[in-house]
Amino acid sequence: FARSWQQMRDSNSASSGIFILALQNLCHPFRQNLHRMVLAGIPALLSDEFETLSEESAGAGIVVFCKIFENRHARNSLSRDVRLRVLQLMSKVIFQGKEDDVMLKYVASIYLFATQDANVLQDISSDEACMRVIYFFLHHGLDGEDIGLIRIAVGILSHLGETISFDEHLEGLMLRVLDQEDVVASARAALMLCKVVYAPEDALMRFSPKLITRLLRMLYSAKRTIEVELKVLKILVAVFRQPNALDLVSRSDLKEFVVFCEIRMTNAEGLRLCVSALHNFLCHEKHRQTEECAAVARCLCNLLYS
């Protein structure tokens, strides 16, 4: 199939569209076809040919890429060079302004599937074109109130996790995501922030008090899930480990967190994390000199005896 495509391409460039549509049809009946396409070099051939395709054929090509990247076995058979080349090609598609909302989600899904593999995360996060399009997905979703695209974009960032650089711009986007109060998007945002906090590069001190306050509000939300609760508590364990934690957590937020620990704990892992956070707070002399120290110590004792 690949040889025939190459031969027909050399003699008649218009024939490529027929092959792309045939590929799209082959993606659906048998999943093993996807791995066979990779072994035959189809993704590399398709990426080389992509910019010469008609709009309809290019759309079919994007669907083929999406199906290949969705299948872990096929995706893992791609070389890192081909994988990055496809992602860069998809970023070109987005910034040429030719995509519609459906195609935008296909391209975003390609990135979501690609970032599930740890061995390529650094390649993607260090590539300017890739990161630019990932932020575009998030901006486009937030501005258009497209919760599906927001979920995909935050999912991509949560996969990249500790490999991305956390800055004021990204924090602003995360605050907007959390303001959506969507359970899936909030869980993925909490996961991303947790990975950032525990990354080798200390990003915690780039968190603003506003972000910490917003994370604490998630603990008190009726929509909170155990998954979100645990991620936020892990972040707070790291926050209270800092000697200047009170620069990040306001006194009122600290009091509310103590109340949460006393009356709203619902699972053993959450209890353990609450104990760790409060213990970390009391480890610093500066914190033990505050008026909140007695309430924190009393709560910690109650938790240890519960």
Side-chain angles (χ1 to χ4, degrees):
F1 188 98
R3 283 198 301 271
S4 298
W5 182 9
Q6 286 179 312
Q7 290 168 0
M8 289 188 70
R9 182 189 62 173
D10 293 339
S11 61
N12 178 15
S13 60
S15 65
S16 292
I18 300 172
F19 278 86
I20 305 299
L21 293 173
L23 283 174
Q24 185 179 4
N25 291 334
L26 286 171
C27 288
H28 299 287
F30 305 105
R31 296 178 69 85
Q32 58 265 37
N33 283 345
L34 299 168
H35 184 236
R36 291 168 182 157
M37 287 181 192
V38 174
L39 295 180
I42 293 292
L45 184 58
L46 179 54
S47 63
D48 289 340
E49 187 77 3
F50 191 85
E51 295 189 75
T52 68
L53 299 176
S54 67
E55 186 174 336
E56 181 183 3
S57 297
I62 290 172
V63 174
V64 172
F65 280 136
C66 189
K67 293 297 182 182
I68 289 173
F69 274 76
E70 183 181 8
N71 184 283
R72 183 178 294 275
H73 186 41
R75 187 175 69 242
N76 287 342
S77 299
L78 288 169
S79 69
R80 290 171 66 174
D81 288 343
V82 170
R83 201 178 311 198
L84 190 59
R85 191 196 318 165
V86 171
L87 294 177
Q88 291 169 338
L89 185 61
M90 293 301 98
S91 73
K92 279 186 181 181
V93 170
I94 296 301
F95 291 117
Q96 285 172 352
K98 296 180 180 178
E99 86 297 336
D100 55 28
D101 286 343
V102 174
M103 207 52 64
L104 183 63
K105 286 182 181 175
Y106 269 113
V107 174
S109 296
I110 291 172
Y111 272 83
L112 182 65
F113 298 136
T115 53
Q116 290 178 2
D117 304 315
N119 64 323
V120 296
L121 295 183
Q122 194 63 55
D123 294 341
I124 295 171
S125 61
S126 60
D127 187 273
E128 184 179 350
C130 289
M131 290 307 299
R132 185 179 168 219
V133 79
I134 291 168
Y135 282 125
F136 174 83
F137 297 147
L138 190 49
H139 276 289
H140 193 83
L142 289 167
D143 294 341
E145 299 182 348
D146 185 339
I147 198 63
L149 188 57
I150 292 171
R151 289 175 175 178
I152 294 173
V154 181
I156 295 167
L157 290 171
S158 71
H159 290 160
L160 292 173
E162 59 272 13
T163 66
I164 58 178
S165 177
F166 190 84
D167 55 19
E168 188 176 344
H169 175 235
L170 183 52
E171 180 182 84
L173 290 174
M174 288 302 101
L175 286 168
R176 290 182 64 188
V177 169
L178 297 177
D179 286 342
Q180 303 296 312
E181 296 191 346
D182 176 75
V183 174
V184 175
S186 295
R188 291 176 177 180
L191 174 59
M192 189 216 77
L193 292 170
C194 190
K195 286 183 176 180
V196 165
V197 163
Y198 286 94
E201 179 187 356
D202 185 14
L204 179 58
M205 298 317 295
R206 292 196 288 276
F207 280 27
S208 71
K210 185 176 181 180
L211 180 57
I212 299 297
T213 297
R214 191 63 188 78
L215 288 170
L216 282 164
R217 293 290 178 271
M218 292 170 69
L219 290 178
Y220 321 136
S221 170
K223 293 183 178 181
R224 85 184 192 279
T225 63
I226 295 297
E227 179 187 6
V228 167
E229 186 177 288
L230 295 181
K231 292 296 182 294
V232 172
L233 288 173
K234 285 180 181 179
I235 292 170
L236 293 174
V237 168
V239 168
F240 287 126
R241 191 180 292 133
Q242 306 297 315
N244 56 344
L246 290 177
D247 292 340
L248 294 173
V249 183
S250 68
R251 300 296 176 88
S252 60
D253 282 342
L254 177 58
K255 290 176 182 177
E256 288 187 18
F257 177 59
V258 170
V259 172
F260 169 83
C261 293
E262 289 177 334
I263 66 174
R264 298 191 64 174
M265 187 45 52
T266 57
N267 63 88
E269 179 62 13
L271 176 64
R272 185 188 69 79
L273 292 170
C274 283
V275 168
S276 296
L278 297 175
H279 171 264
N280 287 348
F281 179 85
L282 293 175
C283 282
H284 299 291
E285 178 66 28
K286 180 180 177 181
H287 297 161
R288 293 197 296 272
Q289 294 173 359
T290 63
E291 62 183 34
E292 291 78 20
C293 175
V296 172
R298 183 172 59 252
C299 179
L300 181 58
C301 288
N302 290 337
L303 292 177
L304 289 172
Y305 279 105
S306 64

